[in-house]
Amino acid sequence: MTEPAPVDLIHLTDPDGNRCIVRVTGRFQPGVLTGHDIVRADVLASASFVDARLDLYLFQDDLDSWEQALSHLGPGQTASIGGDRGLNLDVHMYEDGWLSIRVSDPDRLTAILGVRPQGDWITEHRERLEQVRLTWPSEVIETAPGAYTWSPSRKR
């Protein structure tokens, strides 16, 4: 069975060449109960002063939190993905439509990019999230703390 093509969960660019992309590339440990539902991603951040590729591992809870954050994002608000396990990405929206994107990997890099996305980027990113979930659906159930089993709906 072939791996699905990568899917961009986040794709924020502007005409000036500033960009922040979170590209989901696959499952962390396919076929292993404790790592199967974790997806791995590349964070690609570039501007005139930085060109970086960083690793990010996302749990299903991270995707749920991202969905919630997108639903409530408005001027003066911040949406985050990642967390206290390593790399964290914060997207802050300003009144004029500009975004500041803070990419922080405590072991390697902290950078803040300014991006002015075009169009209805929030709706587009909800669709991107749905595509990630369709491509790598949750297939593991936690039956008790630390105890896992395969979901009956798992595609083999």
Side-chain angles (χ1 to χ4, degrees), residues 35-83:
H36 185 80
D37 277 357
I38 300 169
V39 293
R40 62 182 195 278
D42 295 329
V43 176
L44 309 167
S46 63
S48 62
F49 61 92
V50 67
D51 190 14
R53 185 205 150 282
L54 304 164
D55 297 321
L56 177 62
Y57 296 90
L58 298 169
F59 292 81
Q60 295 298 314
D61 289 346
D62 294 322
L63 298 177
D64 294 341
S65 295
W66 178 243
E67 180 178 30
Q68 284 289 96
L70 282 176
S71 296
H72 301 338
L73 188 62
Q77 302 291 320
T78 301
S80 299
I81 194 162

Side-chain angles (χ1 to χ4, degrees), residues 73-77 92-100 115-116 121:
L73 188 62
Q77 302 291 320
H92 182 82
M93 180 188 284
Y94 292 92
E95 295 283 339
D96 61 3
W98 276 91
L99 302 177
S100 65
V115 174
R116 186 177 182 103
W121 69 271

Side-chain angles (χ1 to χ4, degrees), residues 76-140:
Q77 302 291 320
T78 301
S80 299
I81 194 162
D84 56 2
R85 298 179 314 275
L87 188 138
N88 187 50
L89 192 137
D90 298 316
V91 178
H92 182 82
M93 180 188 284
Y94 292 92
E95 295 283 339
D96 61 3
W98 276 91
L99 302 177
S100 65
I101 304 166
R102 183 175 187 268
V103 179
S104 179
D105 183 337
D107 296 331
R108 302 194 301 178
L109 169 83
T110 296
I112 299 175
L113 311 173
V115 174
R116 186 177 182 103
Q118 307 297 307
D120 186 0
W121 69 271
I122 293 177
T123 298
E124 175 189 329
H125 280 76
R126 284 189 190 116
E127 292 167 1
R128 291 179 178 283
L129 173 60
E130 184 59 26
Q131 186 59 48
V132 167
R133 286 184 165 152
L134 289 171
T135 305
W136 296 282
S138 177
E139 297 180 330
V140 176

